[in-house]
Amino acid sequence: MSDERGPNVGAESSESAENTENLDFIRTFVTEDLAAGKNEGRVHTRFPPEPNGYLHIGHAKAILISFGIAQEFGGKFNLRFDDTNPEKEEQEYVDAIMRDMKWLGADWEDRLYHSSDYFDTLYEWAQHLIREGKAYVCSLNGEEIREYRGTVTEPGRPSPDRDRPAAESLELLEGMKNGDFDEGAYTVRAKIDMAHANMLMRDPLLYRIRKAKHHRTGDKWNIYPMYDYAHGQGDAIEGITHSLCSLEFEVHRPLYDWFIENLPVPHVPRQIEFARLNLTYTVMSKRKLLQLVNEGHVTGWDDPRMPTICGLRRLGYTPTSIRRFCDTIGVAKRDSTVDLDLLKWSLREELNRTADRVMAVLRPLKVVITNYPEGQTEQVECVNNPEDESAGTRRVPFSREIYIEQDDFREEAPRKFFRLKPGKEVRLKHAYFITCDEVIKDDAGNIVELRCSYDPETKGGNAPDGRKVKGTLHWVSAEHAVDAEVRLYDNLFREPFPEEGGHFLDHLNPDSLEVLKDAKLEPGLASVEDNYRCQFMRQGYFCRDEDSRPGAPVFNRTVTLKDSWAKIEARK
RNA sequence: UGGGGCGUCGUCAAGUGGCAAGACACAUGGUUUUGGUCCAUGCAUUCGCAGGUUCGAAUCCUGCCGCCCCAACCA
């Protein structure tokens, strides 16, 4: 009951101490805000994607941080499409983003919003700023604006329109909205400080003229708000308490706060920035991902080699493993690049516990068991998952002719090679011990078949006389095998940092995909559904691809098993 | 260069004045009908560097070094 820490350590204080233990810096801020009584005790976050590309694993981190915090603090989580640039945004992306977020488990319930929902309010607020003398309509063109802005070391100069009377600006704004002017003729700018050390505060743009059709508002608007003028206001309107974003927006925060302070917003949100995710052996920028797709280096956004959510899903990753990964990497402010091995580990960790073990021969080598009765077939009992007894067992046919993996036989093998070699005995998983008696070769000297003999006493894989074998091989009965295509995926890039040292495309891994057309699967695999995940025993975790056709299944290798034999071999 | 950030094991990441958590990776040994899993052990006398304050510093102070972001009518 009582310990030696003294009477002051009550249940309450030790509990709160536990709760603040190991919190990342954002959760610490949220906890402090709650303790200070801010936001009426509410926690409300959001994810604000621009619908101009597909979500990738970096977005998954951001989504899971915002969604996770809302969940942990009993708060709410919104999805808001930041659709302020009609030229780049498309419905296709909107649909894909929602699909991927649902798959990840980030539930926005009925709170789906768009920045474009706020265009009317934003317009009124722009009028408000003009009336207050805090914004004006500027006639400088793009080049001039840049010129007038100055540089990081020199202050800018005021626009000649900076002191345009409010009434005149208001009228011009009305004209901009109505489409009276050409694109580029005018902009609306906040009047802040042309000498500010932060370039973003040098009279930033609120609106530009764009006579583009918007995927939601159609032709209603001829002007569209800039990111900085829309984002924080959207947060305020939705009652977002903690607006979490990546580090590059840190310099935007003074402007974010300026708008909140100078507009009649209903609520004051707080922006907090964290470091975005980088992963070894891949690239994460939308531009580069788009280039990979457009130039045909991959088959599409959902190519299993892509770090996109849909690519990872197709490769065979699970939502749970991605959540686990994001939990493991944590949240901080320092730039970092996470080892791809950690992502792979997250998947293996889950699938080791949950995936069925099945037998599949990727590169078949025929074995004839000469002393096994011709025409006989028997069913052997196989454990589905040694890590989970409740997964049960299944029966797999065994017969005189089987396939084993080419790699599992060597005519000349080192003593450490535990697999099949002439005169040696190994175990066929769940079946019998066999001994290699003869190697059959074609005219070119290629090994085309093995003649082996089995020991009928070893059924199930144990010898009554207690003799042991070092190796256990997976196999598939030739007569019963299901033919399949298997796609062996590897890292898209061969360098851990493809963006360093030359062009990233120069570091593409030419062996990122190997297609095996002649794989042999155990019969049960003929009838599984797309996306079915399992372990191909001794080889890795695989997932049935959507390219599968009746009678012609296709499997993707999601991740290999750890292979310490390969390591030993590689050392030589 | 002006401003804004950041520097703790190979990679992430705790720790915020009391004497370096954890995870991945790696290494070694054991178990094993997956060379998988699992188990055991090892892996930063040191926290970018240099001074200083202190009984005591990764944590406080000073200076320096390095890396990232900002000069789109993109987000």
Side-chain angles (χ1 to χ4, degrees):
Chain A
M1 289 294 290
S2 70
D3 55 30
E4 294 170 288
R5 288 176 298 175
N8 290 331
V9 183
E12 199 175 294
S13 64
S14 71
E15 199 178 288
S16 68
E18 245 175 44
N19 289 342
T20 52
E21 220 172 80
N22 270 30
L23 286 185
D24 59 64
F25 77 103
I26 298 177
R27 279 171 245 253
T28 302
F29 285 158
V30 173
T31 304
E32 288 166 357
D33 286 348
L34 249 20
K38 292 186 187 165
N39 306 124
E40 310 88 44
R42 290 184 307 114
V43 173
H44 203 334
T45 60
R46 105 270 89 115
F47 181 65
E50 182 188 14
N52 70 342
Y54 280 68
L55 259 23
H56 55 60
I57 181 80
H59 294 115
K61 170 184 175 176
I63 291 165
L64 265 10
I65 289 170
S66 281
F67 176 69
I69 286 175
Q71 227 181 197
E72 288 159 35
F73 289 88
K76 291 176 177 170
F77 169 77
N78 293 4
L79 169 57
R80 178 169 76 239
F81 285 102
D82 220 338
D83 53 355
T84 57
N85 185 358
E87 292 174 334
K88 289 188 181 172
E89 296 151 7
E90 295 171 24
Q91 190 62 36
E92 175 201 348
Y93 296 123
V94 170
D95 298 338
I97 288 167
M98 290 199 285
R99 196 185 313 132
D100 290 344
M101 285 181 66
K102 280 180 188 161
W103 181 76
L104 271 179
D107 187 2
W108 60 89
E109 299 176 321
D110 60 347
R111 292 177 304 281
L112 167 63
Y113 302 112
H114 301 77
S115 292
S116 53
D117 296 339
Y118 314 132
F119 282 177
D120 285 311
T121 305
L122 256 11
Y123 183 79
E124 285 163 25
W125 284 350
Q127 291 174 316
H128 170 86
L129 285 175
I130 290 172
R131 277 187 231 107
E132 298 278 304
K134 291 172 181 166
Y136 58 97
V137 171
C138 178
S139 60
L140 259 26
N141 64 36
E143 200 179 316
E144 292 165 333
I145 288 176
R146 211 171 309 129
E147 234 176 82
Y148 276 71
R149 189 151 38 212
T151 68
V152 289
T153 51
E154 309 159 68
R157 320 183 327 256
S159 159
D161 300 324
R162 201 167 198 259
D163 292 315
R164 189 193 296 277
E168 198 179 311
S169 281
L170 252 10
E171 196 174 323
L172 285 169
L173 173 60
E174 182 83 18
M176 288 169 68
K177 185 187 73 164
N178 293 337
D180 298 344
F181 310 117
D182 292 336
E183 290 192 4
Y186 292 105
T187 59
V188 181
R189 305 177 66 178
K191 192 191 288 190
I192 305 181
D193 180 359
M194 288 307 291
H196 202 111
N198 182 340
M199 299 294 288
L200 289 160
M201 300 295 270
R202 322 244 265 224
D203 287 13
L205 272 59
L206 274 53
Y207 279 103
R208 74 287 210 187
I209 300 172
R210 281 285 174 283
K211 298 188 172 178
K213 190 180 171 74
H214 186 277
H215 71 105
R216 294 196 82 240
T217 61
D219 295 322
K220 179 178 177 188
W221 295 89
N222 294 294
I223 57 173
Y224 290 93
M226 302 288 291
Y227 164 84
D228 285 302
Y229 182 60
H231 198 96
Q233 284 68 280
D235 288 339
I237 291 167
E238 292 173 21
I240 300 302
T241 58
H242 302 272
S243 181
L244 314 179
C245 62
S246 48
L247 243 32
E248 73 249 43
F249 292 101
E250 202 154 24
V251 291
H252 291 248
R253 196 168 66 222
L255 182 53
Y256 181 102
D257 291 338
W258 189 92
F259 283 125
I260 295 297
E261 278 164 27
N262 288 284
L263 257 13
V265 296
H267 165 78
V268 178
R270 199 236 277 215
Q271 175 178 300
I272 303 170
E273 313 83 9
F274 59 87
R276 60 195 309 165
L277 171 67
N278 296 293
L279 254 193
T280 56
Y281 297 100
T282 193
V283 294
M284 213 70 96
S285 88
K286 272 186 194 173
R287 206 203 95 242
K288 287 174 180 153
L289 260 17
L290 183 64
Q291 190 178 353
L292 288 168
V293 172
N294 286 344
E295 294 181 6
H297 300 108
V298 295
T299 58
W301 286 100
D302 70 340
D303 186 299
R305 293 165 292 188
M306 291 282 276
T308 48
I309 303 299
C310 52
L312 291 166
R313 176 168 61 229
R314 189 160 177 191
L315 218 208
Y317 272 85
T318 62
T320 303
S321 66
I322 291 175
R323 278 187 237 113
R324 175 66 180 268
F325 170 72
C326 290
D327 282 348
T328 307
I329 59 175
V331 189
K333 290 193 75 162
R334 74 179 83 109
D335 294 316
S336 63
T337 302
V338 176
D339 197 331
L340 220 210
D341 276 339
L342 191 56
L343 212 213
K344 296 182 177 181
W345 172 83
S346 305
L347 200 257
R348 289 195 192 104
E349 193 278 329
E350 178 190 359
L351 262 27
N352 176 55
R353 287 182 284 108
T354 60
D356 286 343
R357 272 63 167 172
V358 300
M359 294 195 286
V361 175
L362 269 26
R363 298 177 179 85
L365 169 61
K366 179 170 280 187
V367 171
V368 178
I369 301 163
T370 51
N371 60 337
Y372 193 89
E374 269 182 72
Q376 178 174 314
T377 293
E378 64 184 300
Q379 302 291 327
V380 299
E381 192 86 358
C382 300
V383 171
N384 286 329
N385 184 349
E387 306 296 317
D388 177 13
E389 206 175 319
S390 72
T393 61
R394 70 187 184 288
R395 295 163 85 81
V396 174
F398 180 83
S399 65
R400 189 167 189 266
E401 295 192 2
I402 62 170
Y403 293 110
I404 66 167
E405 210 67 58
Q406 287 172 18
D407 284 352
D408 284 338
F409 175 79
R410 269 198 216 170
E411 203 165 13
E412 310 217 7
R415 350 85 311 262
K416 283 289 204 177
F417 187 78
F418 301 150
R419 284 113 96 143
L420 199 59
K421 47 191 167 186
K424 277 293 180 188
E425 187 173 50
V426 297
R427 171 168 39 234
L428 295 176
K429 180 83 183 174
H430 300 306
Y432 295 98
F433 287 6
I434 58 168
T435 302
C436 177
D437 304 316
E438 192 183 351
V439 181
I440 312 290
K441 296 182 183 177
D442 63 13
D443 294 341
N446 300 311
I447 300 169
V448 294
E449 185 181 309
L450 263 26
R451 299 286 168 117
C452 297
S453 50
Y454 85 117
D455 178 354
E457 300 299 308
T458 57
K459 177 157 190 183
N462 279 309
D465 63 8
R467 74 180 190 278
K468 304 286 182 193
V469 290
K470 251 318 204 179
T472 300
L473 312 186
H474 60 276
W475 52 272
V476 172
S477 169
E479 180 192 339
H480 310 273
V482 175
D483 291 316
E485 174 177 324
V486 172
R487 299 173 182 169
L488 302 181
Y489 288 103
D490 197 356
N491 301 342
L492 223 205
F493 293 93
R494 52 184 159 187
E495 297 296 327
F497 300 92
E499 279 143 315
E500 290 176 9
H503 193 76
F504 79 105
L505 290 176
D506 296 337
H507 300 304
L508 277 168
N509 177 9
D511 304 317
S512 60
L513 170 59
E514 183 181 1
V515 179
L516 271 19
K517 299 277 193 184
D518 191 30
K520 307 289 185 181
L521 314 182
E522 64 170 74
L525 258 17
S527 54
V528 298
E529 297 180 341
D530 285 353
N531 243 349
Y532 168 80
R533 298 182 190 85
C534 58
Q535 182 194 110
F536 284 1
M537 194 105 41
R538 302 206 300 138
Q539 309 197 84
Y541 295 99
F542 289 72
C543 179
R544 185 170 137 127
D545 190 81
E546 64 196 33
D547 283 347
S548 296
R549 292 292 168 266
V554 176
F555 278 83
N556 297 330
R557 182 177 67 197
T558 314
V559 62
T560 61
L561 253 30
K562 282 177 64 175
D563 188 349
S564 49
W565 168 243
K567 263 182 209 167
I568 293 168
E569 288 263 282
R571 274 182 214 158
K572 294 182 202 162

